[in-house]
Amino acid sequence: TFRPQIFVLKYYSNISTDRHSDSPPIVPNLIGGSFVDSQSSHFIDVINPATQQVVSQIPLTKNEEFKAAVSAAKQAFPLWRNTPVTTRQRIMLKLQQLIRRDMDKLAMNITTEQGKTLKDAQGDVFRGLEVVEHACGMASLQMGEFSSNVSHGIDTYSIREPLGVCAGICPFNFPAMIPLWMFPVAVTTGNTFVLKPSEKDPGASMILAELAMEAGLPSGVLNVVHGTNDIVNAICDDEDIKAISFVGSNTAGMHIYARASANGKRVQSNMGAKNHGIVMPDASPDATLNALVAAGFGAAGQRCMALSTVVFVGDPKEWETELVKRAKSLKVNAGTEPDADLGPAKERVCRLIQSGVESGARLLLDGRDIVVPGYEQGNFVGPTILSGVTEDMECYKEEIFGPVLLCMQADNLEEAINIVNRNKYGNGAAIFTSSGVAARKFQTDIEAGQVGINVPIPVPLPFFSFTGSKASFAGDLNFYGKAGVNFYTQIKTVTQQWKDLPGGSGVSLAMPTSQ
Ligand code: NAD
């Protein structure tokens, strides 16, 4: 049987020697350029969801260690902000090269700790890598503006300056991509950073931090601490932290947004989702069915942009029959197995499927009792399809975050759009149609931040921004793209006067104007 490889990464070389030799490795903090063991006596197991094996343990970083990380970031800031942007870019250029070099190591770590398939784990890294590539052009992205001669001999210009120490709090579902949405943009604009990875899969963050150091990021510019609610609250309350990037659930995100904003911090908070796809009767059958299966069940439905609800306009019967056929052919297995389509995912999922059945939805395909040979302990759920779902059902109102596709029905496009718009979330929505008229109406009327037209998962590349809306986002400056640069910088506006000033014009107390 398969035994997952536990990576003995360079950072694990700091593991304290007094622990019993067969205990799992402890993930260190990164403080001021050194990977150091926490002195904490409280740990959380990082578990391989395919086998339940303990891969490593994270410490609940102690408050004084957290303070030391913030202090290291604060100390590193003055020199780092004055480091030429071209030098900062070059470190990102090197980092993107190192991420490519270690792509397989990162992907294997993600599959071991998070469960997604190796191919999907590569995509997780690649989508983050693209943000690093974008950060390599920061000199242009961070440019200010200049207006000459706004009054006689007077010019005004604006400068985008870094904020200081920023922090990032990450979810479990994209262990590489989401840290890479955060620290590359933050540090290349001249900030220093404290990263708190998900306690469920910290390994990718640690490898990335190690690569960032190898790429030449100076000590203290990027720091990593571990823990759960307490350390998150400490981040929200720390007066030296100027901005917080959060990605995760609404419960945590709204708490962090409220608490950190009340402390005067800038916050961008990307949260939960219920992404709908509307299928028009004229949609191309084969491409649409493939898109629905891929976007509903890919990554076992654990993507914030997973397409978890489909609204069929007209009679859904034929669509549903074909969907079941295609979903049945997917292979559920450990993410490390070459034929796996779906890795493990079980939490909450079974309860919400059952609640759907009890409230009257029809279970067209049930993936709850699946057993994967060789991985009998794994947290697997197979593709599941519920039909006849209505808006009052708990399985519809709550984010399931598993390989479950909910099917609804509407009589026309207007009605389908109204269903989507009544949902509290606004991350993504897609339409499948061959009608430009329907597509344009959808694009105009739909209340979602990221819209797909015959594209099931419309996640923008880093020269745009990730633009969730409604309950899927709190804040006003989104992740990456221009908005991401704006989030991590503040504008200083300078008005300069260089002219020979005529003497003897006297003192004028009137508001200066240029008329
Ligand atoms: P989560 O909210 O449980 O955890 C995210 C982070 O918040 C973790 O680092 C965790 O330690 C911390 N945390 C959790 N509860 C907390 C609390 N009560 N107080 C303070 N800190 C707390 O999220 P998750 O389960 O890791 O991730 C899945 C969620 O993330 C889903 O809702 C998904 O839609 C969302 N997500 C959204 C996006 C997006 O861009 N909109 C992207 C990925 C994931």
Side-chain angles (χ1 to χ4, degrees), residues 249-265:
S249 66
N250 283 62
T251 313
M254 287 317 295
H255 165 73
I256 290 164
Y257 184 77
R259 186 160 176 158
S261 309
N263 286 322
K265 296 185 201 321

Side-chain angles (χ1 to χ4, degrees), residues 169-174 177-178 181 196-200 227-230 232-233 246-253 255-256 270-273 303-304 399 401 427 466 472 479:
I169 301 163
C170 304
F172 82 97
N173 66 326
F174 279 101
M177 180 182 81
I178 287 174
W181 281 4
K196 197 222 62 89
S198 167
E199 62 277 16
K200 295 190 179 125
T228 57
N229 302 15
D230 287 349
V232 168
N233 287 338
F246 169 83
V247 179
S249 66
N250 283 62
T251 313
H255 165 73
I256 290 164
N270 266 13
M271 299 174 286
R303 294 185 184 127
C304 59
E399 185 182 30
F401 223 56
N427 223 28
F466 190 101
S472 299
F479 279 83

